[in-house]
């Protein structure tokens, strides 16, 4: 195969053409023939054609078209990725959306042990004595490519149409017959219409009976499924019911030491094996089954913590929209979840666990007011019970009681990054942690995919990402600053019999105001309005 290049097609100007090119005679501007594609690329690079092509792609992307490569990652070995591909090709390979790995079952211990050893050999071969930055950048990519070469990609199985029961098929036939009768009635005579209407009423009676029977069957099926879900995990089931449609110096110092292997192992074992992987395609499952690879990751994470280094691979997320309610169609009815690389999630899970322990042990978070995001603290059920009890006591004692429920719109996406840094400083979090979190959120990028295209990576200039392991406790810290600034606007609510309740209750961003006096309620609302603005 030969490749031809016409020099006149390269949009070179006198300002970007090399000096030797401008001095060439006119006879040299002829079609060039190349035996390999690589030779043509080298020549185009020297002539400046690739720069012009890149500029053209950028202009196309700005016009509303994406130039991102949508193809899936091809099966290349880890050595081929780093040794034979150019920097641009390797960058496109990393940015491509990756297929899920067809891992063996947990019972196949020999295959997992062999994979563990194979990955260690590849890591020693490719990044054994490289820099920390190179290890952080390529660690997950090498693991993914080794796994995909060993087990291949998981084949997507198209879901077939559900089989219809005899009743459903009969209902479908009756609907068609009713529709045909209505069409016939439009062009029928008066005498014919009476007969057609009689037939239509008979079909309707039969269809209605079948519909009632089908609805009863669906209710029984749904009831059975709900019972099974409740028995399997009562807490998760109850939580989904509520989500359906609709500072003083610290006494205890923050643990700033690099993460231990025990902490990292605890995070991995606690994580769900079926959790979706991030952009690099490596799931928690691999680290659960390959202890030697986990130990190697532990060394890299310790180095990143000691050097305050946050990898760019940890800041890139694939966004997925999940519905907030049933029959969601508008964009505001969906919640974006970020799929991040597991290595970064493990790193920040350790940091989040230590930060939570630090805040609770020093009393920086009042768990009688804020019950969201704190492990071991009862949440919305307790809040709902306490508020309901307060209302009942006020009614029985014939006392005034104002209860206002507030739900912030787009709470996660509205938290300024400066607010997070303010909360960290206010609660005396070590400066090293502040630096790492500042680097993390300042470089955080997301992209979203549909069936037809994938967006470019977009910087997260405001807000925090749902799906990030450090985000919940940071959101609680930011909300705690607001709650503490507003709590002095009203006194405790008087419930009679010497019983009082704090004027604020919160579960993450869901805030409840409880006041005995109208003027205190107004002051509290005004104060919160100013703080939230």
């Amino acid at each position: 195969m030969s490749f031809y290049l016409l020099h006149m097609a390269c949009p070179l100007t006198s300002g970007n053409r090399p000096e030797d090119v401008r001095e060439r005679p006119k006879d040299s501007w002829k079609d060039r023939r190349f035996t390999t594609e690589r030779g043509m690329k080298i020549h185009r690079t020297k002539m400046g054609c690739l720069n012009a092509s890149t500029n053209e792609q950028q202009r196309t992307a700005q016009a509303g078209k994406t130039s991102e490569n949508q193809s899936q990652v091809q099966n290349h070995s880890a050595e081929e990725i780093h040794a034979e591909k150019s920097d641009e090709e390797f960058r496109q390979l990393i940015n491509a959306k990756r297929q899920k790995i067809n891992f063996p079952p947990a019972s196949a211990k020999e295959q997992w042990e062999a994979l563990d050893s194979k990955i260690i050999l590849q890591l020693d071969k490719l990044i054994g004595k490289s820099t920390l930055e190179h290890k952080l950048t390529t660690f997950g990519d090498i693991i993914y490519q080794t796994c995909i070469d060993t087990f291949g990609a998981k084949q997507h199985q198209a879901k077939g149409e559900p089989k219809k029961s005899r009743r459903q098929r009969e209902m479908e036939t009756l609907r068609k017959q009713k529709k045909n009768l209505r069409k016939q009635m439009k062009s029928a005579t008066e005498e014919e219409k009476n007969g057609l209407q009689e037939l239509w009423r008979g079909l309707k009676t039969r269809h209605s009976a079948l519909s009632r029977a089908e609805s009863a069957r669906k209710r029984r099926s749904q009831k059975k499924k709900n019972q099974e879900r409740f028995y399997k995990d009562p807490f998760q089931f109850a939580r989904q019911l509520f989500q359906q449609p609709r500072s003083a110096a610290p006494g205890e110092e923050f643990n700033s030491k690099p993460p231990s292997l025990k902490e990292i192992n605890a995070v991995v074992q606690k994580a769900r094996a079926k959790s979706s992987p991030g952009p690099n395609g490596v799931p928690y499952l691999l680290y659960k089954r390959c202890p030697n690879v986990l130990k190697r990751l532990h060394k890299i994470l310790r180095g990143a913590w000691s050097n305050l280094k946050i990898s760019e691979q940890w800041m890139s997320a694939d966004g997925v929209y999940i519905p907030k309610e049933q029959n969601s169609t508008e964009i505001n009815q969906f919640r974006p979840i970020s799929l991040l690389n597991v290595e970064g999630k493990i790193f920040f899970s350790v940091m989040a666990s230590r930060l939570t322990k630090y805040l609770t042990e020093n009393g920086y978070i009042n768990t009688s007011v804020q019950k969201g995001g704190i492990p071991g603290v009862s949440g919305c059920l307790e809040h709902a019970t306490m508020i309901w009890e307060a209302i009942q006591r006020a009614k029985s004692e014939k006392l005034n009681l104002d209860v206002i429920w507030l739900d912030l719109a787009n709470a996660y996406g509205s938290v300024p990054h400066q607010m997070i840094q303010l909360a960290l400083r206010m609660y005396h979090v070590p400066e090293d942690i502040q630096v790492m979190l500042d680097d993390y959120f300042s470089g955080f990028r997301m992209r979203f995919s549909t069936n037809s295209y994938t967006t470019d990576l977009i910087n997260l200039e405001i807000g925090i990402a749902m799906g990030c392991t450090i985000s919940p406790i940071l959101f609680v810290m930011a909300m705690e600053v607001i709650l503490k600034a507003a709590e002095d606007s009203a006194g405790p609510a008087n419930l009679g019999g010497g019983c009082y309740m704090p004027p604020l209750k919160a579960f993450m961003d869901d805030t409840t105001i409880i006041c005995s006096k109208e003027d205190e309620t107004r002051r509290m609302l005004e104060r919160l309005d100013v703080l939230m603005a």
Side-chain angles (χ1 to χ4, degrees):
M1 180 182 295
S2 301
F3 299 87
Y4 292 87
L5 177 66
L6 180 62
H7 280 282
M8 294 302 292
C10 300
L12 298 176
T13 63
S14 59
N16 60 11
R17 282 159 55 178
E19 191 66 23
D20 58 336
V21 174
R22 293 198 299 269
E23 294 177 357
R24 286 182 178 181
K26 294 183 178 180
D27 294 339
S28 65
W29 295 100
K30 297 180 179 179
D31 292 357
R32 293 289 302 276
R33 182 175 180 276
F34 300 92
T35 57
T36 64
E37 185 178 6
R38 183 172 179 270
M40 184 180 71
K41 287 184 177 179
I42 293 174
H43 178 75
R44 293 187 66 197
T45 302
K46 291 180 179 180
M47 295 298 101
C49 297
L50 289 183
N51 294 334
S53 177
T54 302
N55 294 335
E56 182 64 23
Q57 290 180 358
Q58 292 176 353
R59 288 192 296 269
T60 303
Q62 292 174 357
K65 299 180 180 179
T66 177
S67 60
E68 183 178 356
N69 183 12
Q70 303 298 329
S71 61
Q72 296 289 347
V73 178
Q74 301 297 322
N75 289 336
H76 297 283
S77 67
E79 183 176 3
E80 289 173 344
I81 288 179
H82 294 270
E84 297 182 3
K85 289 186 175 297
S86 66
D87 292 342
E88 181 62 27
E89 290 173 326
F90 181 54
R91 191 177 300 110
Q92 291 180 358
L93 187 63
I94 292 176
N95 292 335
K97 193 170 180 62
R98 298 183 174 181
Q99 295 175 307
K100 289 186 177 181
I101 303 169
N102 187 25
F103 284 113
S107 58
K109 295 183 178 180
E110 294 182 357
Q111 295 185 28
W112 284 107
E113 291 174 357
L115 177 65
D116 194 6
S117 302
K118 188 175 182 179
I119 292 175
I120 293 297
L121 290 175
Q122 288 291 338
L123 293 174
D124 290 338
K125 180 180 180 181
L126 298 173
I127 61 172
K129 296 182 180 179
S130 60
T131 62
L132 176 62
E133 174 62 28
H134 184 253
K135 290 179 180 178
L136 290 172
T137 303
T138 59
F139 185 83
D141 298 321
I142 294 173
I143 292 177
Y144 174 83
Q145 204 59 49
T146 306
C147 293
I148 206 73
D149 290 343
T150 305
F151 301 118
K154 183 177 293 186
Q155 299 296 325
H156 176 71
Q157 297 179 353
K159 295 183 178 180
E161 294 185 1
K163 295 183 178 180
K164 296 180 180 180
S165 65
R166 183 176 59 183
R167 182 191 297 127
Q168 291 172 335
R169 292 195 298 270
E170 185 177 355
M171 290 172 60
E172 192 173 287
T173 302
L174 289 173
R175 281 194 293 268
K176 292 179 180 179
Q177 292 176 354
K178 288 164 59 180
K179 185 177 181 180
N180 291 333
L181 286 175
R182 284 195 296 268
K183 289 182 179 179
Q184 293 177 25
M185 281 190 284
K186 292 180 180 180
S187 58
T189 63
E190 291 297 328
E191 295 180 355
E192 293 175 337
K193 283 184 179 180
N194 294 331
L196 293 174
Q197 287 178 353
E198 187 65 27
L199 290 174
W200 186 85
R201 282 193 290 267
L203 294 176
K204 181 182 178 182
T205 301
R206 176 60 179 165
H207 187 268
S208 298
L210 293 175
S211 297
R212 288 193 297 270
E214 183 67 15
S215 298
R217 182 197 66 80
K218 290 182 178 179
R219 286 195 297 269
R220 291 194 300 269
S221 177
Q222 186 62 41
K223 181 180 179 180
K224 184 178 179 180
K225 290 180 181 179
N226 289 338
Q227 288 177 343
E228 292 175 351
R229 289 170 52 206
F230 176 79
Y231 291 139
K232 184 177 180 180
D233 192 344
F235 175 76
Q236 178 70 12
F237 179 80
R239 186 173 65 177
Q240 289 178 352
L241 288 179
F242 289 95
Q243 293 177 346
Q244 274 189 357
R246 53 141 202 142
S247 136
E252 297 292 334
E253 296 295 331
F254 187 93
N255 183 7
S256 298
K257 296 180 181 179
S260 64
L261 181 59
K262 182 179 180 181
E263 289 177 302
I264 291 178
N265 188 64
V267 172
V268 172
Q269 296 305 321
K270 185 179 179 181
R272 293 176 61 250
K274 294 184 179 180
S275 296
S276 298
N280 68 1
V282 181
Y284 279 110
L285 179 63
L286 180 128
Y287 294 109
K288 286 176 177 287
R289 307 298 181 207
C290 301
N292 292 325
V293 179
L294 183 62
K295 291 178 182 178
R296 185 62 58 89
L297 175 64
H298 168 238
K299 293 181 180 179
I300 295 177
L301 296 185
R302 285 179 63 89
W305 189 292
S306 301
N307 292 276
L308 310 182
K309 183 65 177 178
I310 304 299
S311 173
E312 292 184 1
Q313 303 293 319
W314 302 349
M315 306 178 196
S316 300
D318 282 332
V320 177
Y321 278 104
I322 60 174
K324 295 181 181 179
E325 55 193 57
Q326 295 177 355
N327 302 322
S328 299
T329 56
E330 301 295 331
I331 189 67
N332 57 3
Q333 295 177 303
F334 291 82
R335 179 184 294 108
I337 299 295
S338 303
L339 299 181
L340 292 148
N341 286 341
V342 167
E343 297 78 17
K345 294 175 70 173
I346 295 173
F347 182 88
F348 285 108
S349 291
V350 175
M351 186 183 294
S353 177
R354 292 183 179 183
L355 185 58
T356 302
K357 181 180 179 182
Y358 168 80
L359 294 172
T360 53
E361 287 183 348
N362 289 287
Y364 288 146
I365 295 180
N366 185 359
T367 54
S368 65
V369 175
Q370 174 62 268
K371 295 188 180 297
I374 308 298
V377 178
S378 54
C380 56
L381 288 176
E382 181 179 332
H383 264 341
T385 303
M386 294 178 66
I387 295 170
W388 177 251
E389 180 66 20
I391 295 173
Q392 296 304 311
R393 287 182 64 92
K395 289 177 65 177
S396 62
E397 298 289 339
K398 296 182 180 180
L399 299 173
N400 293 328
L401 187 68
D402 296 336
V403 182
I404 301 176
W405 285 271
L406 303 175
D407 186 8
L408 301 181
N410 190 24
Y412 257 53
S414 303
V415 179
H417 296 166
Q418 296 84 350
M419 184 70 175
I420 296 175
Q421 289 297 319
L422 173 64
L424 293 171
R425 291 193 299 269
M426 180 179 294
Y427 295 129
H428 309 284
V429 177
E431 187 176 351
D432 290 351
I433 306 299
Q434 297 181 34
V435 170
M436 284 191 281
L437 290 175
D438 185 45
D439 292 343
Y440 178 59
F441 284 106
S442 61
F444 199 97
R445 302 178 301 169
M446 295 182 66
R447 67 180 180 184
F448 293 88
S449 299
T450 67
N451 294 331
S452 57
Y453 69 92
T454 299
T455 66
D456 292 331
L457 289 169
I458 305 168
N459 290 329
L460 188 69
E461 298 179 354
I462 188 172
I464 53 183
M466 298 184 67
C468 167
T469 53
I470 193 70
S471 290
I473 189 62
L474 294 179
F475 183 83
V476 169
M477 288 178 62
M479 282 297 300
E480 190 67 15
V481 173
I482 295 175
L483 295 174
K484 285 186 178 296
E487 63 183 2
D488 293 335
S489 301
N494 182 14
L495 304 180
C499 182
Y500 294 88
M501 180 176 287
L504 286 173
K505 294 287 184 182
F507 186 82
M508 301 300 284
D509 63 309
D510 297 327
T511 307
T512 306
I513 300 174
I514 306 174
C515 295
S516 300
K517 300 178 182 179
E518 182 179 350
D519 58 338
E520 290 185 346
T521 305
R522 293 184 181 277
R523 284 201 304 270
M524 180 67 74
L525 282 172
E526 292 173 356
R527 180 61 174 161
L528 287 174
D529 186 44
V530 172
L531 293 171
M532 298 294 183

